[in-house]
Amino acid sequence: MKKITFAIAAALMTSSVLAADKSENSMDEMWGENTVIHKTLSDDRGAWFKEDKYSMFIHWGLYSMTGGEWKGKTYYGIAEWLMSPNMADIPKEEYKKLAGKFNPTDFDAKAWVKLAVDSGMKNIVITAKHHDGFAMYDSAASEYDVIDASPYKRDPMKELALECQKAGIGLGFYYSQNQDWYEQGSAAIGWTSSRQTNSFEDYFNHKVVPQVQELLSNYGPIATVWFDTPGKMSKEHSMRLVEITKELQPNALINSRIGNGVGDFMTLGDHHISDTNHTGLWETIDTTNNSWSYAWYDQNWKTSRKIVNSLITTVGRGGSYMLNVGPDGKGNIPQKAQQNLLGAGQWLKENGEAIYGADASPWGRIQPWGDVSVKGNKLYLHVSKWPRENEIYLSGLKNNIVSVGLLNPIETGFLDGVFSDDNEVSFEKASSGWTVFTLPKEQPKELSTTIVVELEGEPQVDATIGIDPIQTTYLSSVFSKCNSGCKNSHSRWMEKFGEWKFAENITSWKDSGKAVWQVDVAKAGEYTLEVEYSADDVVDYSEWYFTLGGKDYAMEAIDSGNRHNSKRQKGGRTLMRFHTIPLALVDLPAGKQEIVVRPKSEVTGGGIFLRSISLKPVK
Ligand code: FHN
């Protein structure tokens, strides 16, 4: 590192070692998620964030050259962590040699920005420095950077900044402020802490501060400063980064992973698509496949349909969606990622009105047929599951409806070789409070169709969960209320290394426990009840009652394979294995009622993790 002299003082190791310990404990804390309040900024700096809704995340660094493979062996999981002992355990001196080979001759900033623009994305956030410590830009504060240490001799961040400015989209830098596996003193993970010879203070002052200053001084206007894994970093350190940002880029927004609750907007946990609405500025971050950085084997590409639906759901919950691509070591963004992003971009060209600048659904959850977004007096109904009966049901809308219609109806004529003149949408309001929309027989738009409903006044809604008479209604556990004998909680666990999974669930059951959903059934009839839960062998054979339509349906829980000592988990987390079982054919009367779950006999081991129940109408 240029101009850096680290004092060799073991006594100063404390903060980094503590942070290291913590990183093994709670990923929520490592992300800084627990400490952030969903806040609304008092000034209008957040206006663009509310408007833009959709951004591109890029993980690109030395690790992109390895693509998850080291010495002929593939390491499955998030490939930018290849260096860690959880994966290939590559000594720093060896990993460092990758820099000497980094020569991404196919990198084309203009093409990357064009891809983002054509995909309907309004910002790019790219890894300027990830946990491996390598600066992907020209840094005077470290020789471990693309200019000094690689044969490439070009600053990709500069090229990207210029192209973003030309295209009029925002640029943000990802900077790993707490973990730096190259430097002594950084708060890394357990495996490097034992080798620490310098203090976090030294590392912070001599690398983090000058590098963040460089990034915020040399690349024009910066929209977001995106920090990651703050762990136990002190509030003073987080605040120092806030001050630097305020001084150099007063309009930039900082994400919550700066730590200590001092960010401007909230980043949910990796891949977490929320079941509930949140207020304030927040984002979901997701990947086009599984890994953040390029992994040769990872072909689990999200289809355009999946991308559009995740974007709609996130906007429906009140958030923004940032979707990641992992270019390879030469600078190529995988074709399948491009293709599916562009497919979603095409959809956005026609349906963007219902996404950009739109507000959350007043129902606060997904609908059986799709989701809702709002602008003033307009509701946008996003119908992604086209009903065979060409009707969709909406519960609890109190306003009078002025008009309904398709957003950008297709021209009548031939569509995909089939003649269509069916653009009509009509509605009927029932005295029960339900509104029924009659739609064209064939879905007029691929991926998801948007219906515009103009209301008298801003939407007024009774948000009781409606049980749909045509489509399956999913009741997430997050919408149930527990008495003192159970808890609404959530679980996070890892599948392949670093691939985080999230589930809302009801846990910590006592014998007296009772969880209740308030629902409104549109039509009396028979429904198939499905239960999604997980259990371990202690909970195996426990008995549960599901009460619907005044009748108790008993369930004997089966061990679904939850494991507490799985080698896949770090820090004592449980490997969760949810499964869904059809439990009963139930009769429901129409109207408002309760669905209740409770233990039938003595609870063992805290009981099941109940994630959801679903009700599927029987035709
Ligand atoms: O450890 C990183 C990981 O490599 C990746 O950058 C993600 C993106 O959100 N953040 C951290 C884990 O949450």
Side-chain angles (χ1 to χ4, degrees), residues 9-23:
L12 296 177
M13 280 172 60
T14 330
S15 69
S16 56
V17 172
L18 281 177
D21 288 343
K22 203 66 202 176
S23 72

Side-chain angles (χ1 to χ4, degrees), residues 494 563-570 573-575:
M494 257 196 258
R563 293 242 305 278
H564 305 289
N565 51 0
S566 159
K567 59 187 175 209
R568 288 194 175 272
Q569 307 303 308
K570 305 286 160 205
R573 265 178 308 269
T574 299
L575 177 70

Side-chain angles (χ1 to χ4, degrees), residues 310-383:
S310 297
L311 173 63
I312 290 172
T313 307
T314 304
V315 172
R317 303 287 72 72
S320 297
Y321 190 53
M322 183 155 79
L323 186 58
N324 181 78
V325 292
D328 66 19
K330 282 281 165 214
N332 297 298
I333 298 177
Q335 278 307 319
K336 287 277 182 198
Q338 296 200 33
Q339 173 192 316
N340 288 300
L341 286 173
L342 291 171
Q346 191 54 42
W347 179 87
L348 269 162
K349 282 198 182 89
E350 293 166 8
N351 296 272
E353 176 187 324
I355 296 293
Y356 303 120
D359 290 325
S361 165
W363 282 266
R365 56 174 188 278
I366 54 162
Q367 299 285 340
W369 37 261
D371 219 315
V372 179
S373 59
V374 173
K375 271 187 187 169
N377 293 357
K378 278 185 190 164
L379 291 180
Y380 297 99
L381 311 184
H382 299 269
V383 186

Side-chain angles (χ1 to χ4, degrees), residues 445-506:
K445 295 269 163 85
E446 281 182 11
L447 308 185
S448 180
T449 301
T450 315
I451 290 155
V452 192
V453 183
E454 204 183 326
L455 306 175
E456 268 179 28
E458 295 199 352
Q460 302 294 319
V461 158
D462 170 353
T464 308
I465 302 175
I467 305 297
D468 196 292
I470 294 177
Q471 311 230 32
T472 302
T473 306
Y474 173 86
L475 292 100
S476 166
S477 65
V478 77
F479 299 116
S480 69
K481 270 216 171 76
C482 269
N483 67 2
S484 57
C486 58
K487 271 194 189 139
N488 292 92
S489 181
H490 66 252
S491 307
R492 278 190 210 284
W493 69 101
M494 257 196 258
E495 295 202 342
K496 293 199 290 293
F497 179 77
E499 285 180 19
W500 289 95
K501 305 289 169 192
F502 177 93
E504 304 281 0
N505 45 44
I506 307 171

Side-chain angles (χ1 to χ4, degrees), residues 386 404-406 422-427 437-440 451-452:
W386 202 255
V404 295
L406 295 175
D422 188 6
N423 271 333
E424 284 298 311
V425 180
S426 58
F427 72 94
F437 296 88
T438 304
L439 313 179
I451 290 155
V452 192

Side-chain angles (χ1 to χ4, degrees), residues 27 31 57 59 78 80-81 127 130-131 174 179 181 226 228-229 257 267 270 285 292 498 500:
M27 203 58 202
W31 282 327
F57 205 7
H59 275 66
I78 51 175
E80 68 279 6
W81 274 68
T127 46
H130 202 266
H131 308 331
Y174 171 114
Q179 293 196 68
W181 304 335
W226 212 97
D228 205 1
T229 62
R257 294 189 186 181
T267 301
D270 293 358
I285 52 166
W292 297 96
W500 289 95

Side-chain angles (χ1 to χ4, degrees), residues 53 73 109 150 152 155 185 211 269 321 338 383 462 491 547 583 589:
K53 296 291 177 193
K73 181 167 162 29
S150 89
Y152 191 49
D155 181 342
Q211 286 203 327
Y321 190 53
Q338 296 200 33
V383 186
D462 170 353
S491 307
T547 310
L583 180 65

